[in-house]
Amino acid sequence: MATGSTDPVRHPRTAADAVRAFNHATLSTFGKDPQLAYPGTIYRTLAAFTTLARGLPQAFDQTGTALARLHQTGHLTADHGTPTQHADAVSVALREAEHHATAMAQALERAHSASGPLGYCGPINNDTDDDL
């Protein structure tokens, strides 16, 4: 069993934590300067989300391949039903997730591209390192 720095589960958990932190950091709060105050920040944010989304199909495929290998070598059991039923259900769901992740990456690429020409023309907050 993988532990510590060899546990691959830590990576998607870190990504989930990062998205949660982004959501908290960018939540509009009364009396607080917005963290996404300028189009340049939104442009860079969309680029980062696009990069994240592009990697998901491969991650889902590799997870499904690992489960298939465990099943093919007879290393799965099931609390109810058969290992084949559950492994097949996981495989179908992961293929669906791959398709959705691919579509999400494509949509984010379009959003990123569309945000590129945008500029800012409002008041400038000198307290931020944000991109205009």
Side-chain angles (χ1 to χ4, degrees):
M1 174 177 269
T3 59
S5 64
T6 64
D7 184 4
V9 175
R10 78 182 190 283
H11 300 297
R13 283 184 182 156
T14 299
D17 289 342
V19 170
R20 189 177 308 107
F22 171 86
N23 290 342
H24 286 284
T26 59
L27 183 65
S28 294
T29 306
F30 180 74
K32 187 177 179 186
D33 289 331
Q35 296 300 309
L36 294 173
Y38 303 110
T41 306
I42 293 169
Y43 179 80
R44 290 183 300 115
T45 298
L46 291 170
F49 279 130
T50 300
T51 300
L52 175 67
R54 282 184 191 147
L56 291 173
Q58 179 180 351
F60 298 151
D61 179 64
Q62 289 176 195
T63 301
T65 298
L67 182 65
R69 191 173 299 122
L70 288 169
H71 181 54
Q72 291 165 354
T73 57
H75 295 159
L76 296 180
T77 65
D79 292 339
H80 59 84
T82 68
T84 298
Q85 291 170 322
H86 295 287
D88 288 348
V90 170
S91 178
V92 167
L94 284 173
R95 294 290 175 234
E96 183 180 346
E98 283 180 54
H99 293 296
H100 288 296
T102 298
M104 180 174 60
Q106 292 168 346
L108 286 166
E109 287 170 2
R110 290 191 307 273
H112 180 247
S113 179
S115 70
L118 297 174
Y120 182 77
C121 62
I124 296 174
N125 179 353
N126 292 325
D127 296 336
T128 183
D129 290 334
D130 221 338
D131 292 334
L132 299 177

